[in-house]
Structure formats: structure tokens, C-alpha cells
Amino acid sequence: MNDTDIYRNQKMGGMIGKGRRTALIIVDFVNGFIDPEVFGGGNTRDAAEATVPVLEAFRARNLPVVFTRIVYADDGSDAGIWCEKVPRLRELTDSSPASHVIDMLKPRAGETVIRKTQASAFFDTNLGSLLRGLNVDAVAVAGATTSGCVRATVVDAISANFRPTVITDCVGDRALGPHEANLFDMRQKYANLVTSGELDALLA
């Protein structure tokens, strides 16, 4: 019995039903998560480039788009235990170029940018109430890293009864082992997985 069979035998890995209105959440595609000298590497740049046409598709359909950034105060006063584990996170202040959304995915006027201090885009932010106010019941997730902020956002999305879909070629990680392992696990327990080429079916 292979790994997939184990989950199938336990009735996992099924499809989540399609939502009525889907928002795109672009998680932490900021300069620092593309740069291998900061938090990037692996397939993060390729994933960001693959997100460009996806972003345009959502914009063309007038569907909500939300970007996230990790942003800490200059004096570190809002840095929590996560920053003990990953001290360089403290460098992601508002004035640091590393904390800003990459130019190829630059938010337009009127598009929401969520600032966060934890992995999940939902934790201690207004994202959930914002989406409900826009009559959104499903989210498509792109961003970095697959094993970190993407996964945390997906788990919190389904916990809040949003229907999550991970766009597999639009999420990246600094190491491919964690990337693949977390895609597998999210498929089994927390999200639908599609490629950017299958996006029309998701949004139709």
C-alpha cells in the first residue's frame, strides 16, 4: 500500500466543493522570500513568475485579490516567539525592501495588503471579516513558503470554513522536499490542488 492509498483507505483526499465566489490570496511574495540570501531560494522565483498570469486572471474577472506581508515594528516591540525561532524575521520592517511585494506582482490601488506578524494570513488580522464582507466563500492561494505561511494560511482558511485551493505551480519553498511533502499533505487533509492551467475550471 503506497502513501496515497493509506489516506484513501481512511477516506481522506476527497475534493472540497466549489465555492460561489473565490478570492486570490498571494502570501508573502515579497523581495525577501524571493532572494536566496534572505528567505528565498528553491522554486520561489519560478512560483512568483507563474503567479503573474493568475493575478491578471483574477483582476480581469473583478474577483478580490489580497496580498500579505510580514511586517514588524522597527523596535521589534511586536516580535513574538516565532522571531526567537527565526530571528531574521525581525528584519522585515516596513522600511525594509525585503518586506515589500515584488514588483512583478505589485498591488494596484484599491487592492488589499494585509500586514501580519505570524505565519497565517488569518491570525490576528481582519482577513476573515474582509472576505465575508466581499461575499467570498473560497480562496485560491499562491505564495511562499509552501511549508510555512502558505500552509498556515490554508489550514486557517478551512478552519474558518473558507474553501481553499492551492495553485501548485504558484507556491514555492526554499527547499523542494518540504514543498512536495506539504503539497501532498494539504491535498489529503486541507485543500484542493490545481495548476495555474486549471484555473478556469476553478473560477468558471
Side-chain angles (χ1 to χ4, degrees), residues 103-124:
D103 284 344
M104 72 176 84
L105 297 170
K106 187 175 181 179
R108 291 180 177 174
E111 292 178 336
T112 299
V113 181
I114 297 280
R115 298 184 181 201
K116 62 190 182 75
T117 58
Q118 301 298 328
S120 169
F122 287 91
F123 187 87
D124 208 20

Side-chain angles (χ1 to χ4, degrees), residues 117-133:
T117 58
Q118 301 298 328
S120 169
F122 287 91
F123 187 87
D124 208 20
T125 75
N126 69 337
L127 179 57
S129 58
L130 171 70
L131 295 177
R132 291 187 184 94

Side-chain angles (χ1 to χ4, degrees), residues 22-26 29 43 46-48 50-55 57-58 139-144 146 150 154 164-172 179 183 186-187 191-200 202-203:
T22 302
L24 176 64
I25 303 177
I26 298 179
F29 264 153
N43 65 336
D46 290 342
T51 303
V52 174
V54 171
L55 174 58
F58 272 80
V139 294
V141 182
T146 314
V150 167
V154 166
T165 295
V166 177
I167 309 172
T168 57
D169 51 328
C170 297
V171 294
H179 169 75
L183 284 180
M186 286 188 286
R187 182 191 297 274
N192 293 337
L193 269 61
V194 302
T195 67
S196 58
E198 298 168 317
L199 193 63
D200 283 345
L202 174 67
L203 300 181

Side-chain angles (χ1 to χ4, degrees), residues 55-106:
L55 174 58
E56 291 306 317
F58 272 80
R59 286 170 169 168
R61 290 169 169 84
N62 292 314
L63 289 170
V65 175
V66 177
F67 300 83
T68 76
R69 302 168 54 200
I70 298 171
V71 181
Y72 290 102
D74 288 338
D75 62 2
S77 58
D78 54 355
I81 304 302
W82 193 23
C83 291
E84 290 186 22
K85 186 67 175 177
V86 189
R88 288 197 70 185
L89 286 170
R90 291 173 179 262
E91 298 174 17
L92 298 177
T93 62
D94 191 52
S95 61
S96 169
S99 78
H100 287 263
V101 177
I102 57 175
D103 284 344
M104 72 176 84
L105 297 170
K106 187 175 181 179

